[in-house]
Amino acid sequence: MPSFSVSLVQLPVPRAAALSPSGNVPLAIACLQTAVAVHGVPDVTTHLLPATLVDGAGDHALAEAVIDQKPDVLGLSLYLWNIERSLHLARAVKERSPSITVVVGGPEVSADNPLVKGATEIDYAIAGEGEVAFATLLRALGDGREAAAIPGVAAKTGHGLGEFAPPGADVPFDRYPSPYLSGALSVSPGRSCHLESTRGCKARCSFCFYPRRSRRLRVVSVDDTLRTLARLRQAGATDVAFLDPTFNQRPDFEALLDGLAEINHDHALTLFAEIRAEGMTPRHAKKLARAGFARLELGLQSVSAATRRLSRCGGDPDRIAAVANELQDAGITAVVDLIVGLPGDHAADIERGTEFLRAHGLAADAQVFLLAVLPGTTLRTDAARLGLEFDPRPPYRVRRTATLTADELERAWGDAETRLGRPLDEALRPYLADTPAYDHGIDRFEVDLDRGTEDLTPLDRAGSAHQAIVVTGTDLWRDRARFDQIRARRQAFDPFAVVDLVLSPKRPFPLDLLDVLDGVAGRWSMNGYAAHRQGPGGANGQCRVVVQLGRDLGFDDDWLQALGERLPVYLDQSAARAAENASRLGRDLPAARIVDRALAADDPAWRTLATTADPEAVTFAALTLERRFTAEALSYAEPERRRRLAPRNETG
């Protein structure tokens, strides 16, 4: 068997803010790397691309990095937040190096996903758990044997993928050491560690693919789980998330909690997991607190008994609320999930759900999602029968149901925000610092339309995963056709990058320009997950148009007010001036871009902005201050940003 190399890549969630942590822990591909070693596949070298590259580089730079490594096999882990970009990466690599074999796996790989089935850039796809199938596939490729009959594998045909071979037996989960023990994953400062102690789920929720993959519970022994936790603690980890479908379903649940409490006696590790209310007692809540769990997630989903039966998620709302309150009494934050758009739910049911959260003191930390009709789920199979219409592209958001029109869904979403007293979408914070934030690719491009077409040349370079394109000029309306030229040049390099299109006019422009830019932003929406991550009626999350105005340009107040009603407006100013009107920033006054180059932590203006202003209405020209402010005022640190960006079965 000739030697060959394998590059493994898991692309991150597109960031809502350039400096927010990626949350990208490549546990799945690290498990594959470990499995290749356990199975003793000869003469194969596997490696993960560096995290800083994977998380920070734009599309062009990432493809170049893969090609430079000259792998024989490129393995991609597909999730709803990265599938389209991952397939673009595969195409870009194949165009330059057609001999590279592309293998994909992950939650998005299923027979009912046309994005995967029709992808001609994929050579092999693995559905379900991949440890055995991937090692077997690599051995077959190395020996030159037929691979299409491997359980769970589909091979390339002339028009995409062929049929998947029937799945094999459940992976013997406890046979494989944790990637943190095998050396496939290391502890990184400021980044969460992800851990599996069980696989399989006894629940039957129709919106989740776990029941389709395996309902047989398999556990890592208490001793092995504690050994991994001890290693993580020794290596300097501070935050550990258990990715078990239901953490408290294992039969030795209490024994594990007792062991965790002993190892984590000083709570040096902050722990997170998802649980079900069934079987939980006040004693369990206290033991979870002693073990170091700071946050636990429970699925309410709907307060309607009929909806819960239709979705097969079971449970009793009152019992869920009681357990959540027991957790809170023990000092643990209870994060309760509510889904908008489940089949059977009416607007009144969603309203009752938010009122239920408020009545039980659970609203502040509740997570509310718009239903995603995921590939591989019973809900996807039954969508037509249930009257569900949904986006064909990620994140597969429901558009209408048999009981909710599109307008009713949008109103229900807005009503939930009003009742909970906060936005349900993650804020789209623009990158307005004037210095680079990433090591891989340019993240700030500047275009002066007054200089003519020659000023577009700097756009023809590789950029980062999150970019700001600052466009200035005397008459942006006159030059409005140039914005599509800007889009085309950037898309040639990084079509899936998140882009802050920053208008920095020298004179006021007609607000009709914003309608033109809506069209430009729509044509920039290559990345379905990033573009449509917001709730119904939300902003385009891939191309976000904002206005940055220089200080002392004397723009008319009426124009500023009208502009601010359409999109975010940031006015350059000193910290002292912004602090004078801190509570009004982003409300009846433009938001602030602070131009000071340095501010002490005890500076009165800094303290006022950090504690009084809406933090999303304050940005900084100096990168060091932007980093500090987002860390202090917005908690841009991994353990604090546990807010889920995808349905429960697409995390990990």
Side-chain angles (χ1 to χ4, degrees):
M1 176 177 175
S3 62
F4 64 102
S5 65
V6 180
S7 293
L8 297 170
V9 180
Q10 177 179 302
L11 296 180
V13 175
R15 304 187 201 195
L19 299 184
S20 62
S22 74
N24 188 29
V25 180
L27 180 67
I29 55 177
C31 286
L32 297 182
Q33 186 178 44
T34 300
V36 171
V38 169
H39 285 273
V41 183
D43 301 315
V44 172
T45 302
T46 60
H47 55 271
L48 278 61
L49 265 64
T52 54
L53 173 70
V54 172
D55 292 351
D59 306 317
H60 185 84
L62 197 58
E64 290 291 315
V66 171
I67 292 167
D68 287 347
Q69 290 193 336
K70 300 179 180 178
D72 297 288
V73 175
L74 171 62
L76 298 166
S77 187
L78 305 185
Y79 294 83
L80 87 167
W81 58 76
N82 71 19
I83 177 173
E84 291 180 307
R85 188 179 179 214
S86 296
L87 294 179
H88 169 78
L89 174 62
R91 288 192 295 273
V93 168
K94 281 277 199 180
E95 287 173 2
R96 293 275 304 278
S97 299
S99 63
I100 294 177
T101 298
V102 173
V103 180
V104 301
E108 287 289 294
V109 178
S110 65
D112 63 354
N113 190 346
L115 290 178
V116 173
K117 288 285 288 179
T120 57
E121 59 270 27
I122 297 174
D123 294 295
Y124 298 95
I126 299 173
E129 297 170 332
E131 285 92 341
V132 174
F134 187 65
T136 306
L137 175 61
L138 291 185
R139 192 183 293 272
L141 293 176
D143 293 341
R145 293 185 285 108
E146 175 61 43
I150 296 171
V153 171
K156 183 176 183 176
T157 66
H159 305 285
L161 290 175
E163 297 302 313
F164 284 90
D170 288 336
V171 166
F173 183 43
D174 58 354
R175 177 180 175 184
Y176 303 97
S178 165
Y180 293 103
L181 297 180
S182 70
L185 274 183
S186 59
V187 174
S188 300
R191 188 178 291 245
S192 296
C193 296
H194 289 180
L195 194 65
E196 289 181 292
S197 74
T198 67
R199 283 191 188 173
C201 186
K202 299 176 182 178
R204 301 176 58 204
C205 306
S206 65
F207 47 79
C208 177
F209 72 55
Y210 282 132
R212 283 279 188 95
R213 295 292 167 91
S214 175
R215 295 191 64 202
R216 187 173 71 86
L217 183 64
R218 288 153 290 152
V219 303
V220 177
S221 71
V222 169
D223 288 344
D224 286 345
T225 301
L226 295 178
R227 188 176 300 114
T228 302
L229 263 292
R231 175 71 64 85
L232 294 178
R233 178 186 168 102
Q234 184 181 22
T238 58
D239 184 67
V240 177
F242 285 90
L243 299 186
D244 305 4
T246 305
F247 184 66
N248 60 321
Q249 71 178 339
R250 57 184 299 150
D252 50 4
F253 174 54
E254 289 199 52
L256 178 57
L257 293 184
D258 292 338
L260 289 173
E262 184 175 344
I263 285 180
N264 197 28
H265 57 88
D266 57 355
H267 291 184
L269 295 174
T270 298
L271 307 179
F272 168 86
E274 299 178 6
I275 63 172
R276 287 184 68 92
E278 294 87 344
M280 283 289 295
T281 67
R283 183 182 73 256
H284 291 146
K286 293 175 182 177
K287 286 195 172 193
L288 285 160
R290 283 198 294 271
F293 283 89
R295 295 167 67 86
L296 288 165
E297 185 173 345
L298 301 95
L300 172 65
Q301 320 310 4
S302 174
V303 295
S304 165
T307 297
R308 294 177 68 81
R309 284 194 300 272
L310 196 59
S311 299
R312 305 177 189 174
C313 56
D316 174 66
D318 290 330
R319 179 62 189 146
I320 292 168
V323 169
N325 291 145
E326 289 167 2
L327 294 172
Q328 291 179 326
D329 290 343
I332 299 172
T333 298
V335 181
V336 179
D337 298 340
L338 187 72
I339 298 178
V340 172
L342 283 171
D345 254 355
H346 295 77
D349 296 315
I350 300 167
E351 179 182 328
R352 287 195 301 117
T354 53
E355 285 302 311
F356 180 88
L357 294 171
R358 292 176 59 188
H360 290 278
L362 303 172
D365 296 293
Q367 294 185 141
V368 182
F369 309 115
L370 191 65
L371 176 66
V373 185
L374 299 171
T377 63
T378 303
L379 192 66
R380 171 73 72 109
T381 302
D382 295 341
R385 178 179 64 81
L386 294 170
L388 295 178
E389 295 182 19
F390 59 93
D391 290 329
R393 294 175 61 192
Y396 313 115
R397 294 278 175 81
V398 67
R399 291 174 175 170
R400 66 176 66 238
T401 74
T403 53
L404 289 166
T405 67
D407 288 342
E408 287 171 334
L409 268 176
E410 185 170 347
R411 285 196 297 271
W413 186 262
D415 179 70
E417 290 188 318
T418 300
R419 292 178 182 278
L420 296 178
R422 55 185 169 88
L424 298 177
D425 292 314
E426 195 167 28
L428 305 178
R429 184 178 182 85
Y431 183 70
L432 301 182
D434 53 17
T435 49
Y438 296 120
D439 296 329
H440 303 280
I442 299 168
D443 51 34
R444 181 180 170 91
F445 296 86
E446 297 182 356
V447 176
D448 186 346
L449 297 183
D450 290 343
R451 295 181 56 188
T453 56
E454 69 274 8
D455 200 51
L456 299 185
T457 303
L459 296 173
D460 300 332
R461 292 181 288 177
S464 60
H466 190 126
Q467 307 168 9
I469 303 175
V470 183
V471 182
T472 188
T474 303
D475 191 343
L476 299 188
W477 174 253
R478 179 196 62 200
D479 296 326
R480 59 191 180 276
R482 305 280 294 284
F483 286 97
D484 249 331
Q485 297 172 13
I486 292 170
R487 174 194 57 78
R489 295 181 91 132
R490 288 308 311 138
Q491 283 187 324
F493 282 84
D494 301 311
F496 287 84
V498 173
V499 173
D500 293 316
L501 183 59
V502 184
L503 311 182
S504 185
K506 299 173 185 177
R507 295 178 184 171
F509 53 79
L511 298 189
D512 289 346
L513 177 65
L514 303 185
D515 298 324
V516 174
L517 295 179
D518 281 344
V520 173
R523 291 186 288 278
W524 218 314
S525 301
M526 298 288 290
N527 190 328
Y529 180 86
H532 304 295
R533 69 190 300 166
Q534 302 288 84
N540 183 324
Q542 182 181 2
C543 179
R544 303 97 65 93
V545 182
V546 301
V547 175
Q548 174 196 322
L549 301 175
R551 62 199 305 183
D552 303 324
L553 290 181
F555 290 102
D556 179 76
D557 288 343
D558 290 339
W559 181 77
L560 286 175
Q561 182 176 350
L563 184 64
E565 292 173 355
R566 294 283 303 274
L567 79 178
V569 178
Y570 293 82
L571 182 63
D572 284 358
Q573 56 197 282
S574 67
R577 178 183 171 187
E580 292 175 359
N581 300 291
S583 63
R584 299 174 60 193
L585 297 175
R587 293 182 172 89
D588 61 320
L589 290 177
R593 178 178 182 260
I594 308 302
V595 296
D596 305 61
R597 304 311 298 182
L599 287 167
D602 60 353
D603 187 294
W606 176 272
R607 291 200 306 270
T608 299
L609 292 172
T611 59
T612 304
D614 174 359
E616 298 295 356
V618 180
T619 66
F620 293 82
L623 176 60
T624 54
L625 295 181
E626 176 71 4
R627 285 191 189 280
R628 202 173 95 205
F629 186 82
T630 54
E632 293 180 15
L634 288 168
S635 299
Y636 275 15
E638 203 84 28
E640 297 300 322
R641 293 181 63 78
R642 183 62 66 194
R643 187 180 190 276
R644 188 176 300 283
L645 299 177
R648 59 190 292 125
N649 59 311
E650 286 259 5
T651 59

